[in-house]
Amino acid sequence: MQLTMVGTGYVGLVTGACFANTGNNVMCLDVDSSKIDMLNAGECPIYEPGLQELIHSNVRMERLSFTTDKRQAYLAAQIIFICVGTPTGADGKPDLSYVLQAADDIASAILEIGPDQRPKAVVVKSTVPVGTTFRVRDRIAKRVGDLPFYIADNPEFLKEGAAINDFNKPDRVVVGVENDEVGAVMLELYDPFVRQGHPIYVMDIASAEMVKYASNNFLATKISFINEMARLCEANGADIVRVREGMCADSRIGPHFLYPGLGYGGSCFPKDTLACIAMGESSSVDTLLSSAVHEVNQQQRRFFFDKIQDHFNTKGGLEGKTLAFWGIAFKPNTDDIREAPAISLMRLASKQGASIRAHDPVAADNGKRELGEALHIFDDMYDTLEGADALVICTDWDEFKSPDFGRVKRALRSPVIFDGRNLYKRAQMRNLEITYYSVGRQPVSTDA
Ligand SMILES: NC(=O)c1ccc[n+]([C@@H]2O[C@H](COP(=O)([O-])OP(=O)(O)OC[C@H]3O[C@@H](n4cnc5c(N)ncnc54)[C@H](O)[C@@H]3O)[C@@H](O)[C@H]2O)c1
């Protein structure tokens, strides 16, 4: 099939490359010419394991191309996937302006192209509130009259850092359709991905839109829940690591996605939780749980920062101190820093007069763009520590999990670690005489 992906972000690029890899001809459109220039020069604008290679091989096979030319992109398409961003707007609701702009662009293209070459389907892949797919349809219909194509919603569940595997071997594919005909087109397109038993659920459009929010909101709830338990553990002398083990052995609970830390970040959970709250407001439904999940998450960063501040309060405060951060990305294996806890902590520390040094294997450039002069980047994780008053761990990249602690101690001005990911054992820190703060566990103090 001839597909057009609108937006070459994490979703548009990964899904475009994976669809090309199963034999479709895919054109990726973006309004950001710098991204398209990079892609046409053979460079991938985002870090996602395996993506660059997948793009190269499919470009070589002439199944994948990139353009800023809307006419060219829409003229060719049998199916158009809208994969543009839906960030949280100033009012807390998802900003749908990119989705609606894409709808307007598609309407203009349809008017220009004429009836013969119209697309078969316009599919909303962006995460959108219930009703948005029909808004897209109505917006296009208002311009072009009777709709000669189908509309569908196909939420995306890939995880950054494992996106290609997630797309190729999905836990499930969800498609919201208005009739069986478009359902059949989507089943054909997804057949290579679900052939080995991965389920595909075809349902009504409103339910498909809601599946995505319900899933992300539930995952966010798990994180806020375990972080609340971590706070109770810390205040009452328990150890969340042991509590987690004991709790997760219950098959009704299970071990997945229940790790205490700095709270969720990234471009999805924060905005999708807020979107549920906004959806509740506009439909007069109390979303007490979603509001609490969001609130706990906001507090978690502040709570961790308070540990840093409290430690330095007895040492003249953060003014003039240097903090070394390991990890900027909101999670490992991605360069995405949207809503990253590290950025919040760096901003808070910087405001208090601390100097910030940081290392991240792939997100350093994005961090620098976000924080500018306030952030000193180091390519080597140990160089970051030279002369710093403490190490702050924000992302659980593998390379941080068993560092050379001798080097860590020699480089730091004082042996203090704030570990937002519970990477190390307390006993090990005690033996190494490192002052150690983590999440949901008692601190290890080396003060006499
Ligand atoms: N990032 C994820 O892990 C993930 C996972 C599942 C779902 N989603 C959802 O998918 C959507 C896209 O997310 P993302 O992270 O890929 O976004 P992104 O911000 O990385 O990329 C969006 C791209 O769309 C482009 N764009 C905006 N308007 C355009 C237009 N009119 N025509 C062409 N291009 C246009 C932007 O320039 C940008 O490159 C969001 O709704 C998000 O919630 C994201």
Side-chain angles (χ1 to χ4, degrees):
M1 288 188 214
Q2 185 75 42
L3 312 178
T4 287
M5 315 307 295
V6 188
T8 60
Y10 291 85
V11 168
L13 259 189
V14 170
T15 55
C18 290
F19 278 139
N21 207 43
T22 50
N24 299 290
N25 284 318
V26 182
M27 188 173 285
C28 295
L29 167 75
D30 207 295
V31 288
D32 183 341
S33 56
S34 64
K35 281 190 180 175
I36 297 299
D37 289 346
M38 280 180 85
L39 286 159
N40 281 328
E43 288 169 51
C44 187
I46 55 169
Y47 175 81
E48 180 60 43
L51 182 57
Q52 175 120 355
E53 296 77 4
L54 195 65
I55 290 175
H56 281 175
S57 68
N58 283 283
V59 167
R60 247 195 329 271
M61 302 290 281
E62 298 185 1
R63 292 191 296 240
L64 184 62
S65 57
F66 308 99
T67 186
T68 53
D69 183 341
K70 291 176 181 171
R71 188 176 186 281
Q72 186 194 10
Y74 292 129
L75 176 72
Q78 286 175 288
I79 305 181
I80 296 169
F81 282 89
I82 298 179
C83 311
V84 299
T86 47
T88 303
D91 56 0
K93 295 179 180 168
D95 174 0
L96 297 177
S97 58
Y98 303 101
V99 171
L100 298 178
Q101 180 60 52
D104 289 347
D105 295 343
I106 293 166
S108 302
I110 290 174
L111 285 172
E112 200 182 323
I113 290 162
D116 297 344
Q117 290 167 309
R118 288 174 178 189
K120 272 192 183 150
V122 173
V123 181
V124 177
K125 204 172 226 329
S126 301
T127 303
V128 291
V130 173
T132 307
T133 303
F134 286 126
R135 268 182 86 185
V136 167
R137 179 195 65 187
D138 295 346
R139 193 140 171 141
I140 300 175
K142 209 168 151 195
R143 300 264 310 278
V144 305
D146 280 348
L147 273 196
F149 59 84
Y150 300 120
I151 196 96
D153 184 73
N154 171 216
E156 183 48 55
F157 298 98
L158 60 78
K159 299 185 288 295
E160 287 174 20
I164 292 171
N165 189 57
D166 286 347
F167 194 80
N168 286 332
K169 297 178 184 156
D171 286 341
R172 78 304 210 183
V173 174
V174 170
V175 185
V177 296
E178 41 182 355
N179 60 40
D180 291 346
E181 237 167 307
V182 64
V185 174
M186 297 301 285
L187 285 172
E188 186 188 333
L189 182 64
Y190 271 105
D191 181 62
F193 303 96
V194 297
R195 210 175 270 173
Q196 290 181 334
H198 303 281
I200 180 162
Y201 300 106
V202 180
M203 58 184 76
D204 62 282
I205 287 179
S207 301
E209 290 171 326
M210 195 62 208
V211 170
K212 177 67 190 178
Y213 282 120
S215 304
N216 275 0
N217 204 347
F218 183 67
L219 293 170
T221 302
K222 289 178 92 169
I223 296 175
S224 282
F225 173 82
I226 198 75
N227 280 334
E228 189 165 290
M229 292 304 112
R231 280 188 225 169
L232 284 174
C233 287
E234 220 169 297
N236 291 284
D239 179 336
I240 190 67
V241 174
R242 305 314 310 269
V243 170
R244 192 188 162 277
E245 283 167 1
M247 172 192 158
C248 292
D250 185 327
S251 60
R252 293 168 303 175
I253 299 173
H256 302 295
F257 226 73
L258 270 170
Y259 290 96
L262 298 173
Y264 53 81
S267 66
C268 292
F269 294 168
K271 89 171 165 58
D272 294 349
T273 308
L274 287 174
C276 283
I277 297 167
M279 232 189 297
E281 277 163 13
S282 53
S283 52
S284 303
V285 175
D286 279 339
T287 49
L288 302 178
L289 186 57
S290 305
S291 300
V293 166
H294 172 70
E295 197 50 45
V296 169
N297 197 58
Q298 295 306 103
Q299 279 180 10
Q300 191 67 7
R301 294 164 191 211
R302 186 70 230 190
F303 175 70
F304 193 74
F305 181 71
D306 286 348
K307 293 184 194 201
I308 301 176
Q309 216 176 8
D310 289 350
H311 172 87
F312 284 105
N313 273 348
T314 55
K315 295 164 176 60
L318 273 167
E319 175 80 46
K321 301 292 190 303
T322 300
L323 297 181
F325 281 74
W326 279 357
I328 306 174
F330 84 94
K331 67 173 184 175
N333 298 315
T334 183
D335 61 351
D336 199 342
I337 61 159
R338 289 178 281 187
E339 301 284 337
I343 298 288
S344 309
L345 295 177
M346 288 172 183
R347 282 217 168 94
L348 287 166
S350 182
K351 234 188 204 163
Q352 305 271 324
S355 300
I356 310 295
R357 299 158 70 95
H359 166 81
D360 188 287
V362 299
D365 289 349
N366 286 341
K368 188 74 191 160
R369 260 193 292 277
E370 186 71 22
L371 291 179
E373 292 306 302
L375 182 59
H376 305 280
I377 294 290
F378 292 83
D379 290 339
D380 181 282
M381 61 192 244
Y382 296 103
D383 288 348
T384 318
L385 308 177
E386 285 302 331
D389 295 283
L391 163 63
V392 184
I393 299 174
C394 290
T395 317
D396 44 343
W397 282 97
D398 280 346
E399 62 202 86
F400 304 153
K401 287 180 181 164
S402 44
D404 178 340
F405 284 110
R407 283 184 76 181
V408 171
K409 276 189 80 173
R410 280 194 298 281
L412 286 171
R413 188 180 295 157
S414 48
V416 181
I417 297 178
F418 296 92
D419 179 0
R421 300 292 168 185
N422 286 357
L423 296 187
Y424 311 132
K425 293 199 165 56
R426 291 173 64 249
Q428 182 188 24
M429 295 295 104
R430 199 175 297 113
N431 291 341
L432 287 163
E433 297 185 341
I434 292 175
T435 297
Y436 181 63
Y437 300 88
S438 53
V439 181
R441 301 185 290 176
Q442 306 309 302
V444 173
S445 172
T446 54
D447 289 345

